[in-house]
Amino acid sequence: PGRAVIAAPAAYGGAQDSWTRFYTEITLRGGVVEACPVTVTGSPSVNLFIAPTGDVHVLATHEQIFCPAYRFVGASFPQSSVPHAPLAAAATAVGEAAARAGVSGFVGVDFVVLTEDGTCGKGSEGITGATRLWAVDLNVRPSSTQASFDLFHFVAGGTFNPETGVYSIPDPEGAAEQALLESRGGGAGDGGMG
């Protein structure tokens, strides 16, 4: 009990009774205990599509927002806690492993970003502030953030580049100017005089 913390003690009768109830419930039902580093600096997530052929496609990335800890309340797009390339590569590796296990369709991979203190393993002594990316959850279903991204994509009409993580939106000013010219009877190239 001194090295672990129950994230939601109210679920187990409050702070005083929580360890006893937690132990009783987990021994009766089983469960998963997740490690959580103290120095989490981000919670990026990647939406993938695994084709029936096994090809893995990055559809979007986002940063998960939690309040209080471990309670998802929303996401921002795009993710900003790590460079896109390592995140996409890690998510793609998870997607490829899922494909080998027979998974296809929409998948979400959640990560945590942490900064280690120089004890990151063999050969890393003295390295402080090393950034690490841990995969912590695999959602084998279309996620709510994928649905949100799809709505955004429909409204914005832009393009997501899975290699860079950048979403480009067409120049709305040029489009608005062209629509205004056309509504006044002008066309492209005549400056609206018509």
Side-chain angles (χ1 to χ4, degrees), residues 50-51 54-56 94-104:
I50 303 172
D55 292 335
V56 177
V94 171
E96 289 169 347
R100 286 191 299 275
V103 174
S104 65

Side-chain angles (χ1 to χ4, degrees), residues 3-5 35-42 70 112-117 134:
R3 297 186 68 196
V5 175
C36 181
V38 176
T39 56
V40 171
T41 58
Y70 314 109
V112 293
V113 177
L114 59 136
T115 304
E116 294 193 345
D117 62 2
W134 285 2

Side-chain angles (χ1 to χ4, degrees), residues 174-189:
E177 183 179 324
Q178 182 62 33
L180 179 61
L181 291 174
E182 290 174 3
S183 72
R184 292 182 177 168

Side-chain angles (χ1 to χ4, degrees), residues 49-62:
F49 182 76
I50 303 172
T53 60
D55 292 335
V56 177
H57 305 276
V58 174
L59 301 177
T61 65
H62 58 276

